[in-house]
Amino acid sequence: MAGAREQTRRADATEDLATVPRSTRRTVGVTVVPAAEMPRAYLSDVLEAAARNAAAAAGAAGIRVLEADEERVGRLISQAGDRVWGPRGTFAPNELRALAFSGNPVHLAIEDRDGEPSVVGFAVGFLGWSPGLHVHSHQTGVVEGQRRRGVGYALKLAQRATCLRHGVSEMRWTFDPMVRRNVAFNLNALGARAVAFYPDFYGSMSDSINAGDASDRLEAVWDLSRPLPSRTGSMVDHGPDGPVLLHERDGRPVVTGRSAVHGAVLQVPDDYERIRARDRELSGAWRAATREVLSGAYAEGFEIGAVDRSGYRLVRRGEDGRP
């Protein structure tokens, strides 16, 4: 019986390998000037502004952001990951220790409450080189009860300051296009770009948030040397509406079939996570409709450029002044 199981396992592995293309190197590139190529005076200004921004964000959130420079910090992050995503929600403590020890950005957010420090969030990233040198920000998690107070923003700005200090001027990560508040945060608050769309990027996931749902993802690219967007104007409307490619009718998604153009709008639910928790069939319908529209739009050279009251606005790549 054991021999039969092993043969089946090897056959499954062989089948999986057969479907992997010879090269999985991404071709999605965005022009970001490496820190080493920036003029010295300009780089000094960028570093100073990034440190100032990070300190201000942490102060506004009422937290301290620490870099994981010892083993116990890795244990605290691993425990916080379990609180956000369920058991084994993030890296194991020994893996976090190795990542931090080898120079990767691993951060912990602490709130000092009544004289006792309390973990409220964390961020874990690591160096990557495809399609160019960058830090991949794999996870930024904020524990339940501490969200929507600026903790995630402070963690991202701490990552930014750390990366720039070590000569890395580009950060990338993936995020779910269905979670509208995250899309708005990444594009409007940070100024990142959603440069690519990947259906079912991770395959089946088993954590407490994503289990049972498809893992469609957008890829964010953040030029860390650029000034941050104004936080007061993050949800202002971005001009007149173009054609609507996806909208809601009687609570259900409707794909209009119209062609993607600059300024076209996708209307997605304000709270997809609530829909997913209550009605898996309906959330699946929204997931499938959004996938259909985004797959077509990205294939035609468009990307989500901003989020406003109308929904997601498409821009043609390069028409916002960035390549």
Side-chain angles (χ1 to χ4, degrees):
M1 183 65 71
R5 283 199 299 268
E6 178 63 16
Q7 286 183 340
T8 301
R9 186 191 68 77
R10 289 180 179 176
D12 289 344
T14 300
E15 183 178 351
D16 287 342
L17 286 171
T19 64
V20 176
R22 289 184 178 272
S23 174
T24 56
R25 182 178 178 84
R26 285 172 288 151
T27 58
V28 176
V30 176
T31 302
V32 176
V33 178
E37 298 179 12
M38 296 178 188
R40 186 178 296 274
Y42 176 74
L43 178 59
S44 177
D45 290 344
V46 167
L47 289 170
E48 183 179 335
R52 188 170 58 248
N53 294 153
I63 61 172
R64 292 182 291 128
V65 180
L66 312 176
E67 291 190 52
D69 57 357
E70 54 185 80
E71 184 272 337
R72 68 184 181 92
V73 177
R75 282 189 281 113
L76 291 172
I77 290 175
S78 187
Q79 292 164 7
D82 291 347
R83 295 168 62 188
V84 176
W85 283 284
R88 297 184 298 279
T90 188
F91 296 95
N94 61 307
E95 295 167 334
L96 290 162
R97 174 64 169 153
L99 284 170
F101 184 75
S102 57
N104 292 286
V106 180
H107 294 83
L108 180 69
I110 298 286
E111 179 184 43
D112 295 308
R113 187 184 308 161
D114 300 325
E116 292 292 328
S118 175
V119 176
V120 295
F122 66 94
V124 180
F126 42 82
L127 284 170
W129 56 73
S130 176
L133 181 66
H134 66 280
V135 159
H136 180 82
S137 179
H138 182 60
Q139 284 183 321
T140 300
V142 179
V143 302
E144 188 69 38
Q146 303 297 332
R147 295 164 189 164
R148 296 172 178 81
R149 51 172 279 195
V151 174
Y153 185 66
L155 282 163
K156 297 304 286 187
L157 295 200
Q159 284 186 310
R160 173 178 179 247
T162 296
C163 290
L164 286 168
R165 196 167 66 246
H166 291 281
V168 179
S169 58
E170 180 178 308
M171 188 181 295
R172 292 177 178 248
W173 63 93
T174 62
F175 60 101
D176 191 343
M178 299 308 306
V179 184
R180 180 168 169 162
R181 59 185 170 80
N182 282 355
V183 181
F185 173 76
N186 291 327
L187 275 57
N188 296 1
L190 298 180
R193 291 178 58 185
V195 301
F197 172 67
Y198 301 106
D200 214 18
F201 180 75
Y202 291 108
S204 177
M205 302 181 72
S206 59
D207 64 87
S208 60
I209 292 177
N210 298 290
D213 197 0
S215 58
D216 297 354
R217 293 294 184 265
L218 292 164
E219 181 181 14
V221 176
W222 189 17
D223 182 348
L224 304 180
S225 68
R226 290 176 62 91
L228 296 170
S230 167
R231 299 216 71 190
T232 57
S234 62
M235 283 300 290
V236 299
D237 291 328
H238 291 74
D241 289 352
V244 175
L245 310 185
L246 173 67
H247 70 95
E248 177 267 337
R249 180 187 301 153
D250 298 328
R252 299 193 65 83
V254 176
V255 177
T256 65
R258 303 186 69 177
S259 298
V261 297
H262 189 87
V265 175
L266 284 73
Q267 298 173 355
V268 298
D270 288 333
D271 195 346
Y272 171 81
E273 293 163 296
R274 171 181 261 185
I275 296 173
R276 179 171 60 187
R278 294 182 174 183
D279 188 336
R280 281 288 178 159
E281 186 279 328
L282 180 58
S283 67
W286 274 108
R287 171 78 66 186
T290 305
R291 175 188 290 185
E292 178 183 342
V293 175
L294 288 180
S295 293
Y298 274 84
E300 293 171 20
F302 295 91
E303 64 186 57
I304 300 174
V307 183
D308 62 21
R309 295 177 183 87
S310 297
Y312 298 166
R313 285 188 180 270
L314 297 183
V315 297
R316 182 174 286 282
R317 190 166 295 125
E319 287 192 8
D320 63 349
R322 291 182 282 178

